[in-house]
Amino acid sequence: DSPDSCLVYGGLYMWTEMMDYNYTPGTQGICPSNWHLPTIPEFDVLAEFLGGLAIAGGKMKEPGFRHWASPNTGASNSSGFTALGTGCYDPWYGWGYYLIHVYNGIWTS
């Protein structure tokens, strides 16, 4: 609901929307042609490739403080993924948008 935020952080999708209402693991969902939403095992392979769960996130995060709060420890973006601190949205408990510049959640199928 915020075009300016969408330009910076991309779209914010509920899981069912992201899956395009197809509940098969590895489905294309809302991805472009020839792409698919990653499964948990695929993310596990990525984390292992990047050195394990303890350091993989930092290798996927944009360094600095433009889109992340301090201290942004371990952020190097050496993977080239460039994760931003997009935050969360909670429509059920009335929290609205929160944890912006602190959190990035990535859906899996």
Side-chain angles (χ1 to χ4, degrees), residues 46-67:
L46 175 62
E48 187 64 29
F49 177 78
L50 294 175
L53 289 175
I55 62 172
K59 291 182 175 184
M60 295 173 67
K61 288 173 63 178
E62 175 189 60
F65 307 114
R66 181 170 183 197
H67 299 106

Side-chain angles (χ1 to χ4, degrees), residues 10 31 43 56 60 77 91 102-103:
C31 295
F43 255 90
M60 295 173 67
N77 196 34
V102 175
Y103 174 82

Side-chain angles (χ1 to χ4, degrees), residues 6-107:
C6 192
L7 288 173
V8 175
Y9 298 109
L12 179 64
Y13 295 93
M14 302 297 280
W15 186 82
T16 51
E17 292 174 319
M18 177 219 46
M19 294 290 288
D20 201 21
Y21 303 92
N22 175 347
Y23 305 112
T24 305
T27 189
Q28 178 182 346
I30 62 168
C31 295
S33 295
N34 300 317
W35 290 80
H36 71 272
L37 297 161
T39 63
I40 291 173
E42 288 173 326
F43 255 90
D44 291 344
V45 168
L46 175 62
E48 187 64 29
F49 177 78
L50 294 175
L53 289 175
I55 62 172
K59 291 182 175 184
M60 295 173 67
K61 288 173 63 178
E62 175 189 60
F65 307 114
R66 181 170 183 197
H67 299 106
W68 286 99
S70 180
N72 202 13
T73 304
S76 68
N77 196 34
S78 62
S79 71
F81 187 84
T82 318
L84 306 179
T86 58
C88 305
Y89 179 73
D90 183 333
W92 294 285
Y93 296 106
W95 295 355
Y97 297 101
Y98 64 105
L99 297 177
I100 296 172
H101 293 170
V102 175
Y103 174 82
N104 176 296
I106 298 173
W107 286 119

